[in-house]
Amino acid sequence: MVIVSVTVVAQVSLSSEMKGNQIFSLQGRGKSAVLYYDHADFVVVKKVSELFVEDVQKVTGKRLVYGSDKGLLTGDCLIVGTLGHNQIIDQLIADGRMDVSSLKGRWESYQIALVKNPVHGVGQALVIVGSDRRGTAYGLLSISRAIGVSPWYWWADAPIVKHDYLYLSVRPTISEEPSVKYRGLFINDEDWGLFRWARDNFEKERGNFGPRTYAKVCELLLRLQANYLCPAMHDASTAFHAVPENRLVADSFAIVMGSSHCEPLLFNTASEWKRETMGEWDYQDNKAGVDRVLKERVEAAAPFENVWTLALRGLHDKAMKAGNDMSARKDMLQEALMNQRQILADVIRKPAAEIPQAFTPYKEVLDVYDEGLNLPDDVTIIWPDDNYGYMKRLSSPKEQQRSGRSGVYYHASYLGKPHDHLWMNTTSPTLMYEELRKAYDMTADRIWLLNAGDIKSCEFAVDFFLNMAFNIDSFNFERAAHYRTEWMCGLMGDDFKDEYQDIWDAFYHLAFARRPEFMGWGYQWATDKHGRERNTDTDFSLTNYREVETRLTEYCRIGAMTENIYHRLPAEKQACFYQLMYYPVKGCELLNRMILDGQRNRWYAIQQRAATDSFAKSAKICYDSLAVITKGYNELLGGKWNHVMMMNQGFAASYFELPELRTVKLKTSASLGVWAEQEDVLKGQKSFHSLPCFSCYLPKESYYIEVFNKGVSPLAWKAVVSDDWIRLSRISGYTQTEERIEVSINWEKVPKNESVLGYLDIMSDMGEHERVLVSVFNPSDSINKELDSLYVETNGYVSIDAAGFHRKVENEAIQMYLIPNLGIENEAVQLGNPIAPMQRTGGRNTPRLEYDFYTFEQGSVDVYTYVLPTFVTSSDRGYAGHEATNIETKYGVCIDEGPVMNPSTSSFEYAQIWYESVLKNCRVNKTTLHIDKPGKHTVKIICGDAGTVLQKIVLDFGGLKRSYYGPKPTRR
């Protein structure tokens, strides 16, 4: 795996010292430095000079003198410029006062140095020189970050610590080139947030997106050392190029303009194509009309820096009208792309191969590409993920040789099947790193584009994505897992660092299992009869393995921690904290509580429990509270963000609606009800109550019984045990609704036997009586060191966490990597670097993970393996194996030296298994194997496709209960 080498972007930091060889006085006692730039330099240099002066004023309250008049050069100065565009810097280089030989020819790099007496009248200068216009901008803005102005000072209202004076410690440095050449955002699905905010708040006079909004977007990109923007393109928004001033704004920030995968040559087909004057958007019957309009767009945009999108899709992100013959579709796309390249060459008057171009094989376009589309070698292929964070395709060995190389189009937000995720960005950072590092290592280093939705709620994903794009080698799995804490501390200070990490670890663990938008458990556009999502019960079990209870307990815990921090913060930090932590954490907590309390309400209604109405009330309170905190978000800072946040985003989602709630008609007097843990409430199943079996091999396990009331009057009850080895947490009670008895075993008193049976009787003061059976498994040979540290069968299953392997077998190509904060058990294992060669799962010494377990059974066993639903890396992976598939991934599963079976992590997009897997972030595969005798055995997970990520293993001997996560690990 890649070794992290963290490169410090700028070796400039605040200093407590006022004098010294490496000290520069930016804002000293009684005097301020002057900032000088050359009037002949690029517009962005003047722009960032203005921003920097404003940044210093935000920190100190004092404003620097700045400009391009050489008469300003006196005292201590900042001299900012681009190689070949600043006379003073060029003269320093010519005189041998600065060595920039390492800077020349670099992409977006800068050099920072202190120079004594650079010109007459200047004692020393802090010189920032860029290899190009963006390099210069990044260099100066790196000093803004050093003095405490975050790139998120405006978009997330990051607080700025005030200082009376600013002294900088400067160590000469030359920045590295960015890892990825073009790095940026696609503003998308903006209808429910950014569009409403711009229309009704930020740009009321325009009533839509415009230059003011894009100026803020471009400034953010520049401060984040990004350079690429694909603007909003829904038909509700004014198209970017429909307002010529937008192009000037973007260029003033040196931002390269692009367009989404369905906007050819920067033309927004959704809102700019006018049928009445342009005809049909149809390349079969209106080819000349389409090409004419595209040429006009190129003529208008050519004076600016662009990456030109080659594309041909239908209006509104749909397939272009064509026949069903794939070959004909391919021919039509081929002709369209070649005509678009010719338009570029004709208008820009350069060879097409010298003009930056990109092609994104998104959705049906990938099928057309696979038909044999001849894409010119210089065009960058932007590979999309599947909209849920998993890269669908990457460059094959042959495609990796292309001069245009490749890029990625990645979703932090999405509108579409099987379900939107627009409200809250909860994509796991460690998943993002795993998928994007894999892409980068397979030549995706030319363009990285993040679908950032409305930007708001995706702030962290934007920062993380662009920082990885700028310096991918500064990240590994560990840093990815901790980066949100690192980011929060950079914004808010370190006072709550440990709490931040605890909260974010739990936040991503919970949301990885199920995003908040998916908690309605419905599908969108699944049938023409009813396009909207129809909410149902979740698959989180109220009966088994304490799933709902554990999930809600953890959400309530981090919600309470977050609320506590918020109220302890000074007022100047609260708005930022509210946006970046309070609202995401509390929003997810309240939504989960609303839905799962609603589910419990309906389940209780079946049992006629008196507590039924209390859960309806709780669900309603959570529903109302969600509205309150959303309103609170929009009212922050006097309404700065009014209209930007809403829960009901998308056309067809309904997860945010109040769930169906039921009421019951209770008996007039108290009435006893009893429910035992893991007891299914199914009519006609059994006529007695029983707890799961207690096992001496897992002696700390306890199970509970709920004593509940089915009447209006309070219920008095008591419990009596059959044997003194049965321990109860309480033996009597008086309740209006329900109470819980935790049941455990006194292992010093229980008889030695494989089948020990006891019971407890629960009686009400009304004379009612219920019996609950207690089974114990306590063989005479129970003190057996052979079982220490093994996973032991209990209640007919063995559950194993992926990170708890007993042994790993590796080779030079395949190493095993632990991935923190990922997967059902919150730590997963990656079987080798994804770019390593495929391994033969049937080999004698193939790399593998081994887990020892003990079973009391023999015969068939169903082995469930939980893996990330990753795709094959390419359609042609550079080999032709004998009796092996090249279209699916595979990994091996076997027990002991038995046969090796080969399940897959992959499926075809939009197949049912893909639907289920991406909503769960988990592909669960069932493999039926055989065990020859009771005792100790080993289950092995063998590397096939390198990069397979294992989350969990469950062996079912017949006792596995229905649940979402599966049971907790059963390691002794």
Side-chain angles (χ1 to χ4, degrees):
M1 183 53 70
V2 175
I3 298 174
V4 173
S5 57
V6 178
T7 301
V8 179
V9 172
Q11 298 287 357
V12 177
S13 59
L14 283 177
S15 172
S16 59
E17 302 292 328
M18 293 184 290
K19 293 182 180 181
N21 290 334
Q22 293 183 330
I23 302 300
F24 179 79
S25 174
L26 181 61
Q27 183 68 66
R29 297 178 184 273
K31 62 177 182 177
S32 303
V34 172
L35 189 154
Y36 171 81
Y37 61 88
D38 196 308
H39 68 87
D41 213 329
F42 296 97
V43 174
V44 70
V45 177
K46 179 182 179 182
K47 176 73 72 175
V48 296
S49 296
E50 294 169 348
L51 291 175
F52 182 77
V53 168
E54 292 170 2
D55 291 346
V56 172
Q57 187 173 18
K58 291 183 182 80
V59 176
T60 66
K62 303 181 184 72
R63 189 171 179 84
L64 301 182
V65 175
Y66 76 104
S68 58
D69 182 354
K70 290 183 180 179
L72 297 174
L73 291 166
T74 183
D76 288 349
C77 294
L78 291 95
I79 301 176
V80 183
T82 310
L83 281 178
H85 297 269
N86 184 297
Q87 289 183 357
I88 292 177
I89 292 175
D90 292 345
Q91 190 62 51
L92 289 172
I93 295 168
D95 293 344
R97 305 286 306 280
M98 288 188 70
D99 179 7
V100 295
S101 57
S102 298
L103 187 64
K104 291 180 178 178
R106 284 177 178 257
W107 176 259
E108 297 181 346
S109 300
Y110 57 86
Q111 184 168 336
I112 296 178
L114 278 176
V115 179
K116 304 295 184 182
N117 305 311
V119 296
H120 179 71
V122 175
Q124 73 171 348
L126 180 60
V127 180
I128 301 103
V129 55
S131 61
D132 52 30
R133 61 177 182 157
R134 279 185 293 275
T136 307
Y138 297 160
L140 185 55
L141 290 174
S142 73
I143 301 176
S144 286
R145 292 196 295 277
I147 65 174
V149 179
S150 166
W152 295 99
Y153 82 93
W154 192 86
W155 278 96
D157 303 295
I160 297 172
V161 177
K162 307 297 183 182
H163 296 278
D164 293 329
Y165 310 105
L166 294 174
Y167 296 95
L168 304 178
S169 174
V170 181
R171 190 168 69 191
T173 185
I174 299 177
S175 71
E176 297 290 335
E177 286 188 297
S179 299
V180 178
K181 187 171 186 179
Y182 296 107
R183 313 164 303 282
L185 307 180
F186 170 32
I187 299 172
N188 192 217
D189 304 318
E190 67 278 5
D191 309 50
W192 299 276
L194 212 60
F195 164 69
R196 295 166 61 249
W197 168 79
R199 181 193 65 192
D200 299 332
N201 189 354
F202 194 62
E203 295 199 71
K204 282 184 179 180
E205 69 287 350
R206 183 178 294 276
N208 212 306
F209 278 98
R212 288 190 67 208
T213 301
Y214 281 115
K216 289 299 184 183
V217 173
C218 291
E219 180 189 342
L220 175 67
L221 289 171
L222 198 63
R223 287 180 180 271
L224 289 171
Q225 300 178 110
N227 60 9
Y228 183 53
L229 175 64
C230 295
M233 48 74 67
H234 275 208
D235 53 2
S237 307
T238 300
F240 180 87
H241 291 278
V243 182
E245 187 183 348
N246 285 337
R247 290 194 285 263
L248 297 172
V249 166
D251 191 60
S252 73
F253 287 95
I255 297 301
V256 181
M257 292 307 300
S259 58
S260 68
H261 54 84
C262 56
E263 297 174 86
L265 302 185
L266 312 189
F267 185 82
N268 183 340
T269 59
S271 63
E272 292 190 280
W273 186 263
K274 306 301 180 185
R275 179 183 299 172
E276 58 275 14
T277 58
M278 300 174 181
E280 294 293 330
W281 177 254
D282 180 347
Y283 210 70
Q284 283 184 327
D285 301 327
N286 189 21
K287 184 187 310 177
V290 170
D291 286 346
R292 184 190 73 252
V293 171
L294 296 184
K295 183 178 181 180
E296 291 171 356
R297 172 51 41 80
V298 174
E299 289 170 342
F304 304 94
E305 191 176 1
N306 306 289
V307 173
W308 301 91
T309 300
L310 304 182
L312 189 71
R313 295 195 74 207
L315 300 179
H316 304 292
D317 200 8
K318 295 180 181 177
M320 173 58 86
K321 175 186 174 184
N324 291 325
D325 181 82
M326 188 63 75
S327 179
R329 281 181 174 267
K330 183 260 294 182
D331 291 343
M332 182 176 71
L333 180 58
Q334 185 79 60
E335 182 180 12
L337 299 190
M338 292 304 101
N339 287 347
Q340 289 168 25
R341 277 174 67 84
Q342 191 60 51
I343 290 170
L344 290 173
D346 290 345
V347 174
I348 299 175
R349 299 188 179 183
K350 291 172 65 175
E354 297 179 13
I355 302 170
Q357 296 155 70
F359 170 76
T360 304
Y362 184 68
K363 292 191 176 178
E364 82 287 341
V365 180
L366 179 58
D367 295 330
V368 180
Y369 173 79
D370 285 340
E371 184 67 16
L373 186 74
N374 181 21
L375 192 67
D377 192 68
D378 59 277
V379 176
T380 300
I381 303 176
I382 301 181
W383 298 113
D385 71 337
D386 64 348
N387 308 309
Y388 296 89
Y390 300 93
M391 297 306 302
K392 285 174 56 178
R393 177 81 64 80
L394 294 168
S395 294
S396 68
K398 182 178 178 181
E399 288 164 334
Q400 290 178 35
Q401 304 305 311
R402 303 178 75 259
S403 63
R405 297 177 73 82
S406 67
V408 295
Y409 169 42
Y410 200 81
H411 287 76
S413 175
Y414 177 63
L415 171 69
K417 290 182 179 181
H419 201 290
D420 312 333
H421 54 99
L422 298 169
W423 175 48
M424 197 77 71
N425 174 254
T426 54
T427 303
S428 162
T430 44
L431 174 65
M432 287 180 68
Y433 173 74
E434 185 273 330
E435 289 293 291
L436 292 168
R437 176 82 231 195
K438 172 171 66 178
Y440 179 83
D441 289 341
M442 299 181 75
T443 74
D445 60 4
R446 190 60 56 88
I447 300 172
W448 275 25
L449 180 65
L450 180 72
N451 185 323
D454 284 328
I455 299 179
K456 297 303 291 177
S457 94
C458 289
E459 296 98 334
F460 169 73
V462 167
D463 191 283
F464 182 51
F465 180 89
L466 294 178
N467 268 284
M468 282 195 293
F470 191 80
N471 188 357
I472 187 70
D473 287 337
S474 70
F475 286 87
N476 59 11
F477 283 126
E478 194 69 27
R479 189 180 182 210
H482 291 85
Y483 187 71
R484 191 153 188 174
T485 295
E486 178 185 330
W487 184 61
M488 285 293 296
C489 289
L491 297 168
M492 305 291 296
D494 293 342
D495 292 347
F496 299 100
K497 181 177 181 179
D498 292 342
E499 289 92 334
Y500 292 158
Q501 186 55 42
D502 185 8
I503 292 167
W504 290 128
D505 185 84
F507 176 84
Y508 283 114
H509 181 209
L510 293 163
F512 183 81
R514 199 74 179 187
R515 292 180 189 265
E517 295 93 339
F518 303 165
M519 285 298 295
W521 236 264
Y523 292 90
Q524 297 171 203
W525 303 292
T527 167
D528 291 342
K529 295 178 181 177
H530 200 297
R532 287 197 85 219
E533 172 186 20
R534 284 168 284 179
N535 295 343
T536 67
D537 284 354
T538 76
D539 287 348
F540 288 112
S541 179
L542 288 162
T543 61
N544 300 320
Y545 314 128
R546 306 196 184 187
E547 273 195 331
V548 167
E549 179 180 330
T550 301
R551 184 172 178 85
L552 290 186
T553 297
E554 189 69 346
Y555 262 129
C556 289
R557 183 183 73 84
I558 64 172
M561 287 179 66
T562 302
E563 195 145 10
N564 178 264
I565 295 171
Y566 176 73
H567 291 299
R568 291 167 63 187
L569 288 170
E572 63 270 18
K573 292 185 176 182
Q574 287 185 331
C576 179
F577 186 85
Y578 197 105
Q579 295 167 67
L580 301 184
M581 194 165 201
Y582 182 86
Y583 187 78
V585 174
K586 290 296 293 183
C588 289
E589 175 212 341
L590 290 167
L591 183 88
N592 274 263
R593 284 173 54 195
M594 178 184 79
I595 288 175
L596 293 175
D597 282 355
Q599 181 172 329
R600 189 179 290 275
N601 159 265
R602 297 188 296 275
W603 188 61
Y604 273 21
I606 295 172
Q607 300 169 64
Q608 295 290 294
R609 294 200 192 196
T612 301
D613 287 349
S614 68
F615 283 96
K617 181 179 179 181
S618 173
K620 289 175 182 175
I621 290 172
C622 292
Y623 175 80
D624 292 340
S625 297
L626 282 165
V628 168
I629 67 169
T630 302
K631 184 172 183 285
Y633 191 119
N634 290 317
E635 291 177 347
L636 288 171
L637 302 170
K640 174 183 176 181
W641 295 113
N642 196 20
H643 306 294
V644 84
M645 185 56 64
M646 62 188 301
M647 288 192 63
N648 51 328
Q649 301 190 29
F651 302 105
S654 53
Y655 64 89
F656 48 81
E657 294 177 352
L658 184 67
E660 177 197 350
L661 301 172
R662 298 173 185 169
T663 189
V664 293
K665 186 175 182 180
L666 301 177
K667 296 180 180 180
T668 55
S669 59
S671 179
L672 174 67
V674 168
W675 178 81
E677 185 173 358
Q678 294 190 24
E679 185 174 61
D680 294 319
V681 184
L682 299 176
K683 294 181 179 179
Q685 186 184 41
K686 62 182 182 181
S687 302
F688 59 90
H689 299 293
S690 63
L691 288 168
C693 185
F694 293 88
S695 170
C696 63
Y697 300 109
L698 298 169
K700 294 182 180 180
E701 289 285 352
S702 70
Y703 299 103
Y704 65 84
I705 296 166
E706 286 180 345
V707 179
F708 60 88
N709 188 7
K710 296 188 284 185
V712 174
S713 302
L715 170 72
W717 63 271
K718 65 179 180 178
V720 178
V721 299
S722 62
D723 300 273
D724 62 358
W725 47 262
I726 301 175
R727 290 174 167 170
L728 305 182
S729 62
R730 59 194 308 169
I731 59 172
S732 63
Y734 186 75
T735 179
Q736 188 74 49
T737 54
E738 60 192 25
E739 292 179 322
R740 177 175 291 189
I741 308 171
E742 286 284 352
V743 183
S744 59
I745 302 301
N746 185 333
W747 293 103
E748 294 179 356
K749 292 184 177 182
V750 68
K752 296 287 187 183
N753 201 306
E754 289 190 358
S755 302
V756 180
L757 181 64
Y759 60 85
L760 62 149
D761 287 329
I762 302 172
M763 294 147 293
S764 75
D765 59 353
M766 305 292 290
E768 298 162 304
H769 168 264
E770 295 279 359
R771 174 167 290 181
V772 181
L773 302 180
V774 179
S775 300
V776 176
F777 183 62
N778 190 32
S780 58
D781 62 346
S782 60
I783 307 303
N784 189 339
K785 290 187 177 180
E786 182 186 2
L787 273 64
D788 286 349
S789 84
L790 301 190
Y791 293 92
V792 181
E793 179 194 347
T794 183
N795 285 287
Y797 65 83
V798 175
S799 182
I800 299 169
D801 55 306
F805 52 83
H806 290 93
R807 288 167 302 282
K808 59 180 179 177
V809 177
E810 301 172 319
N811 61 24
E812 288 186 6
I814 302 296
Q815 305 291 307
M816 305 297 176
Y817 307 110
L818 292 175
I819 307 179
N821 200 205
L822 188 73
I824 287 175
E825 299 298 336
N826 208 29
E827 189 171 30
V829 184
Q830 186 178 54
L831 282 68
N833 191 319
I835 65 171
M838 176 177 281
Q839 306 292 298
R840 183 172 173 269
T841 58
R844 288 184 176 87
N845 295 304
T846 307
R848 61 191 178 274
L849 300 169
E850 296 186 352
Y851 304 85
D852 297 334
F853 66 94
Y854 197 95
T855 178
F856 309 98
E857 310 294 336
Q858 68 180 41
S860 296
V861 57
D862 292 331
V863 181
Y864 293 92
T865 45
Y866 298 62
V867 292
L868 285 189
T870 50
F871 290 82
V872 293
T873 52
S874 69
S875 60
D876 179 5
R877 292 186 279 170
Y879 75 94
H882 173 60
E883 296 181 341
T885 176
N886 199 23
I887 61 171
E888 279 192 325
T889 65
K890 71 173 181 180
Y891 60 95
V893 180
C894 75
I895 292 177
D896 300 330
E897 299 305 320
V900 176
M901 303 305 289
N902 292 287
S904 176
T905 69
S906 64
S907 74
F908 296 104
E909 193 177 19
Y910 299 105
Q912 178 179 322
I913 188 64
W914 174 80
Y915 269 38
E916 296 169 354
S917 298
V918 295
L919 295 180
K920 194 173 185 174
N921 272 318
C922 187
R923 169 82 178 259
V924 183
N925 292 311
K926 174 184 170 183
T927 303
T928 302
L929 298 174
H930 192 83
I931 291 178
D932 58 352
K933 60 184 177 182
K936 179 182 175 182
H937 297 274
T938 301
V939 60
K940 304 172 185 178
I941 307 300
I942 307 168
C943 182
D945 278 87
T948 295
V949 177
L950 179 68
Q951 302 184 45
K952 182 171 181 167
I953 309 164
V954 177
L955 293 83
D956 180 18
F957 295 91
L960 187 64
K961 294 274 191 174
R962 188 182 185 92
S963 67
Y964 185 74
Y965 292 120
K968 298 174 184 177
T970 59
R971 191 164 190 160
R972 177 172 164 80

